[in-house]
């Protein structure tokens, strides 16, 4: 199974205009990933691509607009560049060796440190300085500083090796479910195939859970909700993992001694901070008339007529709270900077976001004292099985 974009380390190249970021990205990837020009501000929106780069492995490379871009359009580009930091796992700050670090570069380094983003500094264009200057720079270089030339290729391999070291040093193997099951366990997956299910395939959390069960040499059995009662008369699974949308249909069918949870709740633990989301769920019981609730999804799928985010979730929240709630919606990379108007954020499992971006959204909500909950947890709470749905983490 191909490693999805959300599971790959995201490496962002940042710096001032004309520092040679895009040229360095092209040399680093050995592809014409970015447009290169002597004109300042050539790179506008961030450009990203999934690829395999030795010795790093599968990664996402992101080229960004100059952090010192000018004018009103430039300000928007700078904002977009800063938003890239929300999903950046590792950063490469590109500085023109002949010019040196700017104020914007120094501010970026401060932000890397505040966000705890591992980074290296690539001093570019060493082909235009004298050998004596090059020697002087090299003797003063810090451990995370590398001198390179996008034009000649000098130092490119050093960047790759240094990034590989950072990835290995900061990589922490995590599992969605594998660490909770043993060889020979039977795991029952309840997967509804309805109008909102993608045609001819399983959604990503279902694929990933199924793969981890197989990797653990356990047995996965997949059924639709209406088949659950019959299969439970024949087998006793260790866990039942379901699509959260059918909690209400199966909660009374599953015996109390069998752990029941959902794909979305497993993703909440895998991608985000579980305790924060657990605290946020209680807000569903304290909503008032006129409160605004943000429903945010990390993917950009085509909205169905009975879409969970824009149709089902608002309906369930209104029915549960018995209040007149106002809803707003975001998709993909869109997530508001100012969250102060919201009484609650209900977020999807985040399968299309990398862990860094999902956690940064939670951090932003916490900093602004806005409660946040995951789809699966919200649905479990509204169906009276919240504690039960979290037994798998005990």
């Amino acid at each position: 199974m191909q490693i999805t974009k959300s599971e790959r380390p995201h490496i962002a190249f940042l710096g001032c205009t004309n520092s040679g970021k895009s040229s360095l990205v092209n040399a680093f990837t050995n592809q014409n990933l970015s447009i290169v020009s002597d004109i300042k501000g050539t790179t506008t929106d961030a450009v990203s691509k999934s690829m395999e780069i030795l010795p790093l492995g599968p990664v996402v490379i992101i080229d960004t607009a100059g952090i010192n871009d000018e004018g009103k359009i430039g300000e928007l580009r700078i904002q977009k560049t800063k938003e890239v930091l929300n999903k950046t796992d590792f950063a490469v700050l590109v500085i023109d060796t002949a010019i040196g670090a700017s104020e914007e570069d120094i501010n970026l380094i401060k932000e890397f440190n505040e966000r705890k983003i591992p980074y290296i500094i690539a001093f570019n264009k060493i082909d235009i300085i004298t050998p004596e200057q090059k020697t002087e720079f090299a003797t003063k270089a810090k451990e995370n500083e590398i001198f390179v030339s996008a034009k000649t290729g000098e130092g490119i391999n050093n960047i790759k090796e240094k990034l590989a070291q950072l990835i290995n040093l900061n990589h922490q193997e995590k599992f969605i479910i594998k660490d909770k099951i043993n060889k020979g366990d039977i795991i029952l997956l309840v997967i509804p195939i309805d109008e909102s299910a993608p045609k001819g395939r399983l959604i990503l959390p279902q694929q990933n859970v199924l793969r981890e069960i197989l990797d653990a040499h356990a047995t996965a059995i997949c059924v639709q909700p209406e088949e659950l009662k019959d299969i439970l008369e024949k087998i006793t699974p260790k866990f039942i993992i379901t699509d959260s949308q059918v909690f209400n249909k199966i909660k009374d069918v599953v015996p109390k001694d069998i752990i029941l949870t959902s794909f979305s709740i497993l993703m909440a633990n895998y991608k985000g901070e579980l305790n924060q989301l657990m605290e946020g769920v209680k807000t569903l019981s304290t909503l008032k008339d006129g409160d605004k609730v943000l429903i945010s999804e990390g993917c950009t799928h085509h909205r169905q007529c009975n879409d969970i985010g824009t149709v089902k979730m608002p309906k369930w929240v209104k029915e549960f709270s018995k209040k007149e709630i106002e809803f707003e919606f975001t998709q993909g990379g869109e997530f508001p900077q100012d969250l102060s108007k919201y009484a609650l954020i209900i977020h999807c499992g985040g399968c299309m976001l990398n862990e860094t971006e999902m956690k940064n959204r939670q951090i932003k909500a916490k900093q602004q004292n806005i409660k946040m909950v995951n789809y699966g947890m919200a649905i479990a709470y509204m169906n009276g099985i919240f504690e039960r749905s979290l037994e798998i983490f005990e």
Side-chain angles (χ1 to χ4, degrees), residues 358-374:
M358 189 66 242
K359 286 186 175 178
N360 273 323
R361 292 186 177 194
Q362 286 191 240
I363 290 170
K364 186 179 294 184
K366 191 170 185 177
Q367 288 173 339
Q368 298 181 45
N369 200 30
I370 306 300
K371 298 299 184 183
M372 186 172 181
V373 68
N374 158 277

Side-chain angles (χ1 to χ4, degrees), residues 238-255:
K238 182 176 183 178
F239 303 141
I240 293 180
I241 305 170
T242 184
D243 189 308
S244 305
Q245 297 182 62
V246 296
F247 267 144
N248 63 327
K249 294 181 180 179
I250 71 169
K251 62 180 182 178
D252 296 327
V253 177
V254 179

Side-chain angles (χ1 to χ4, degrees), residues 344-363:
L344 178 66
I345 300 166
I346 305 177
H347 204 290
C348 72
C351 65
M352 299 305 292
L353 304 176
N354 67 345
E355 181 181 353
T356 297
E357 186 166 12
M358 189 66 242
K359 286 186 175 178
N360 273 323
R361 292 186 177 194
Q362 286 191 240
I363 290 170

Side-chain angles (χ1 to χ4, degrees), residues 69 86 113 181 223 241 357:
D69 213 336
N86 291 328
N113 290 324
I181 55 182
V223 299
I241 305 170
E357 186 166 12

